DNA sequence: CGGAGATTTGAAGCCGCTCAATACAGGTGG
DNA sequence: CCACCTGTATTGAGCGGCTTCAAATCTCCG
């Protein structure tokens, strides 16, 4: 597997081959986590950090009365809990959507890595800035877009982020979220998500069966979503054009 | 003026007196910016970075059709554009609410500071993590709370953040936002903000005249908002209890 | 085949929006 | 000092987007 974390970090910051090797080494140990598993809870003080290699997770919080809000999705190449490395604790929970492959690193070992290399340090700092940028876009999505637009935007984001780490499948993108999950991500009820998805489907803007989605008409979907990918900090690379992501080729 | 940036950084990370002095030195040069002034636009590539010392600003984005979303407020002690130091560009715009005092630092000089001290580096990284945490709370606020709750939460956040840097005035907190501004922050129309404010006022939960707000009954407001201050990473300090901010003393 | 969870559909209702008019406050010029 | 002007706050009425509740269908899996 070409390493999704390295793919991403190298887009944020050039790394020497030594640095790359050090990261590969630290990430040597990996394991598989089943679907729908909690991997962290609010308030946890983890001693290890987790990098997602394959699959999908989400960050979320639950309010006193049970309302849930999904804060963001974690795609391959993302740290699940980098914040806990720097701050020591988690302020939100994390679960897997489907089965996931992860690499696990001791905090100590990551600390050494961080202190040993300016480039790695900067790459990771940039990664947390990128995460903040994603949050900001979600704020504007939730605050100022209609249900229809919000859903369009969510699918655009996931598609581009999965593309950026080479996670496009031939049939589209793996995305094992229920409509309830999607609702909790975009601040809507599951019922309304259902209706809006139908609308997107009949406009032939997305296909989605609960496991996999595809974007038959990227241009139009992005237009509706008001989506522009710069906030994802994805440099145009080899086979992945940014302005017109390859999802367009899925038709 | 006891320095709000240092107050904040020292809560994030202990600093030696040398480090403190170095920061003070870098921040030597300051100036005043009038009310309602743009200080950065989306896409800017600033060469200097700005630290707010007094006053209030907000980050925002504008969509193609003119809809605006305020992404967060900037209070004294916050960097306006730390992200641009690390990434080189701004992905959102910034404006002042009232007149502001700021310190300005050349990127080069800040870079030197960052590279010279592990503690400063960590403090700043933690600062960007804190910002991400604030964004996450806004996501859950916008996604899963009613208009009434959202407003309550906004006032709680501002109050605690201003308290943390010693910006409480005798009469409450300076907050020169119009109801339109507030609406753009919490994803509501100005009209509805007006109605909800009236409701908060008659419940005696806040007082607000467009310039200054106060929180007569902190306990109850926080309860309604579902507010808990941990996400703001504010250590209990001398005269500022966290669980029950001094706003309660304002009555 | 049965059961659990997810999707889909319908109906009714409320929250928050839009539009529009009015009241109010601060600042300016005569 | 008042008349005016501009921007903000306030109020009312009507509407529509989204929610809630509930039932029906579908799908997957044991």
């Amino acid at each position: 597997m070409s390493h999704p974390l390295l793919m991403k970090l190298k887009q944020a910051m050039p790394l020497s081959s030594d640095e790359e090797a050090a990261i590969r080494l630290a990430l040597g140990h990996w394991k598989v986590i089943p679907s729908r598993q909690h991997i962290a809870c609010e308030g946890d003080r983890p001693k290890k950090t987790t990098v997602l290699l394959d699959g999908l997770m989400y960050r979320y919080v639950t309010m006193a009365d049970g309302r849930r809000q999904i804060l963001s999705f974690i795609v391959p190449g993302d740290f699940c809990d980098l914040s806990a490395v720097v701050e020591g604790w988690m302020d939100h929970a994390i679960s897997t959507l489907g089965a996931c492959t992860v690499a696990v690193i001791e905090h100590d070992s990551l600390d050494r890595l961080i202190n040993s290399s300016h480039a790695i340090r900067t790459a990771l700092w940039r990664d947390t800035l990128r995460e903040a940028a994603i949050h900001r876009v979600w704020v504007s999505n939730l605050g100022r877009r209609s249900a229809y637009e919000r859903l369009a935007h969510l699918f655009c984001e996931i598609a581009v982020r999965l593309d950026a780490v080479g996670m496009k499948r031939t049939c589209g993108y793996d995305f094992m979220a229920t409509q309830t999950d999607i609702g909790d991500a975009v601040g809507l009820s599951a019922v309304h998500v259902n209706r809006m998805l139908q609308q997107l489907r009949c406009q032939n803007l997305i296909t989605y069966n609960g496991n996999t989605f595809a974007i038959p008409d990227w241009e139009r979907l992005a237009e509706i979503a008001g989506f522009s990918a710069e906030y994802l900090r994805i440099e145009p690379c080899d086979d992945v054009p940014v302005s017109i992501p390859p999802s367009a080729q899925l038709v």
Side-chain angles (χ1 to χ4, degrees), chain A:
Chain A
M1 162 172 22
S2 97
H3 208 296
L5 175 62
L6 284 168
M7 272 180 85
K8 196 184 59 166
L9 291 185
K10 281 157 69 180
Q11 285 182 0
M13 188 79 190
L15 297 178
S16 73
S17 54
D18 279 1
E19 285 157 342
E20 198 174 323
I23 294 174
R24 274 189 197 279
L25 186 65
L27 289 174
H29 177 65
W30 58 274
K31 64 178 181 181
V32 173
I33 301 176
S35 185
R36 301 280 161 188
Q37 205 82 18
H38 298 280
I39 78 147
C41 296
E42 207 176 319
D44 276 4
R45 305 188 131 274
K47 292 255 172 313
K48 303 176 182 187
T49 187
T50 305
V51 177
L52 182 58
L53 299 181
D54 191 53
L56 215 56
M57 303 183 180
Y58 61 95
R59 305 174 187 284
Y60 69 99
V61 286
T62 323
M63 308 174 43
D65 58 4
R67 284 178 286 185
R68 182 180 71 151
Q69 175 68 42
I70 290 182
L71 302 167
S72 68
F73 289 98
I74 301 174
V75 306
D78 290 344
F79 279 87
C80 296
D81 41 18
L82 186 55
S83 65
V85 177
V86 183
E87 300 190 299
W89 60 289
M90 293 293 301
D91 65 1
H92 59 273
I94 299 178
S95 283
T96 58
L97 266 181
C100 290
T101 310
V102 302
V104 179
I105 318 176
E106 301 282 336
H107 279 193
D108 291 347
S109 135
L110 184 58
D111 277 337
R112 250 175 283 124
L113 212 54
I114 289 171
N115 289 320
S116 70
S117 152
H118 175 79
I120 290 177
R121 198 156 63 220
T122 304
L124 293 183
W125 192 350
R126 285 193 178 172
D127 202 52
T128 97
L129 284 163
R130 194 181 85 117
E131 219 175 287
I134 293 176
H135 291 327
R136 282 192 292 272
V137 170
W138 280 47
V139 167
S140 64
N141 207 28
L142 287 162
R144 283 296 176 232
R145 274 197 261 262
S146 71
Y148 191 62
E149 297 168 323
R150 276 184 230 178
L151 280 172
H153 198 282
L154 177 64
F155 285 108
C156 286
E157 177 183 308
I158 303 289
V160 172
R161 289 177 64 190
L162 289 176
D163 274 344
V165 286
M167 286 287 151
K168 186 180 56 183
R169 318 292 187 188
T170 48
C171 52
Y173 305 89
D174 288 348
F175 190 60
M176 307 244 304
T178 66
Q179 295 181 0
T180 303
D181 294 330
I182 297 176
D184 287 344
V186 294
L188 297 171
S189 68
V191 171
H192 202 59
V193 168
N194 182 285
R195 292 193 236 266
M196 293 298 104
L197 279 178
Q198 287 176 52
Q199 215 167 306
L200 286 165
R201 276 193 281 245
C202 37
Q203 298 289 322
N204 199 32
L205 290 168
I206 70 156
T207 63
Y208 178 52
N209 60 11
N211 291 314
T212 304
F213 74 90
I215 303 179
D217 187 343
W218 170 263
E219 291 282 8
R220 217 146 52 85
L221 188 68
E223 158 96 32
I224 286 166
F227 183 85
S228 94
E230 291 91 42
Y231 75 96
L232 294 171
R233 272 64 170 166
I234 291 165
E235 301 292 322
C237 77
D238 330 13
D239 54 351
V240 184
V242 175
S243 45
I244 307 171
S247 12
Q249 302 154 16
L250 279 179
V251 187

